[in-house]
């Protein structure tokens, strides 16, 4: 993953490397929809919410129903 290889990239999350990809979603071709979903997820500020979002058996609803899981990406 690119995030794990960048050496001169000083961010808050750098100290939490290596990152592990656990889920990947497609949202839409419409940039406004993508931004709305991303903002919704970030506003939750909840580890439990993120874990539920990544659970393959959880049925998404509301604004998150736009997400489409991209299969077979777990390490």
């Amino acid at each position: 993953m690119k995030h794990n290889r960048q050496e001169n990239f000083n961010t808050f999350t750098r100290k939490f490397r290596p990152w592990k990809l656990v889920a990947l979603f497609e949202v839409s071709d419409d940039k406004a929809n993508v931004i709305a979903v991303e903002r919704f997820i970030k506003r939750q500020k909840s580890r439990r919410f993120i874990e539920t979002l990544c659970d393959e058996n959880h049925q998404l609803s509301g604004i998150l129903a736009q997400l489409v899981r991209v299969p077979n990406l777990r390490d």
Side-chain angles (χ1 to χ4, degrees):
M1 283 177 49
K2 184 178 178 182
H3 293 302
N4 290 328
R5 291 189 309 259
Q6 292 177 326
E7 293 299 324
N8 297 322
F9 195 67
N10 189 14
T11 66
F12 172 78
T13 57
R14 182 177 182 186
K15 62 186 170 187
F16 297 106
R17 288 183 188 171
W19 285 91
K20 180 180 176 188
L21 183 63
V22 295
L24 181 65
F25 298 93
E26 289 183 16
V27 180
S28 169
D29 290 334
D30 181 16
K31 187 175 180 178
N33 285 345
V34 173
I35 291 171
V37 171
E38 180 180 12
R39 285 183 179 161
F40 176 81
I41 292 169
K42 287 183 176 182
R43 271 189 304 223
Q44 303 310 305
K45 297 186 180 192
S46 166
R47 181 183 200 125
R48 176 179 263 167
F49 174 79
I50 297 298
E51 290 170 351
T52 301
L53 182 63
C54 294
D55 180 1
E56 295 176 8
N57 299 314
H58 182 75
Q59 184 69 31
L60 301 173
S61 62
I63 192 170
L64 297 177
Q66 297 180 53
L67 295 175
V68 177
R69 180 179 288 278
V70 178
N72 300 325
L73 287 176
R74 288 196 170 213
D75 293 337

